Amino acid sequence: MGVIRWILGKIILVVESLTQPKSPQLNAAQKQAMDTLAQQVTLYQFAACPFCVKVRQASRKLGLPLQTKDAKRNMDARKELEQGGGRIKVPCLRIQQANGEARWMYESDDIIAYLNKQATPIIEK
Ligand SMILES: N[C@@H](CCC(=O)N[C@@H](CS)C(=O)NCC(=O)O)C(=O)O
């Protein structure tokens, strides 16, 4: 079972690298705005989780350099996710809010919708 999971994980990573979407061409101001957005969010993930791949591909499509933390192998990240978000489930997006509090968003579709909403105005500027 472990071997099958390992092989499936490798296949997922190969497919991800072969199907990477093109990032948009951004000017300097857009890049800076995208970097500012990227500093406010962190994706807690497992490398070979298909839902995490979906979020990573969406962020590439937006040209958003998403910071990631591996909640499977990095025990500190795992603890942060469990304590902050309330459970070990990935993907989970930690959003640093202006009031200093963190919001923890689960569900890949919700995360992608959030990133699209934040990044699209930067691309269209
Ligand atoms: N509907 C969720 C599914 C996420 C999901 O099933 N993630 C798996 C890893 S691929 C997980 O975290 N499983 C652990 C758990 O559910 O406790 C999404 O789209 O984000």
Side-chain angles (χ1 to χ4, degrees), residues 91-110:
C92 179
L93 190 72
R94 181 188 186 279
I95 304 163
Q96 184 62 48
Q97 300 184 110
N99 65 6
E101 303 219 334
R103 177 176 166 203
W104 296 79
M105 181 182 283
Y106 290 92
E107 287 303 319
S108 52
D109 287 343
D110 292 345

Side-chain angles (χ1 to χ4, degrees), residues 28-82:
Q30 288 171 316
K31 263 187 203 148
Q32 196 174 359
M34 212 54 100
D35 286 345
T36 301
L37 172 59
Q39 281 162 20
Q40 293 159 6
V41 292
T42 304
L43 183 72
Y44 287 74
Q45 61 156 15
F46 299 163
C49 158
F51 303 98
C52 302
V53 170
K54 198 169 80 168
V55 174
R56 294 199 297 264
Q57 297 286 54
S59 73
R60 285 186 187 112
K61 200 169 171 185
L62 292 166
L64 176 70
L66 194 57
Q67 313 175 65
T68 60
K69 287 197 179 184
D70 187 335
K72 182 163 270 183
R73 293 193 177 80
N74 177 338
M75 289 305 128
D76 290 339
R78 196 175 175 87
K79 204 187 280 175
E80 286 164 20
L81 174 61
E82 190 167 29

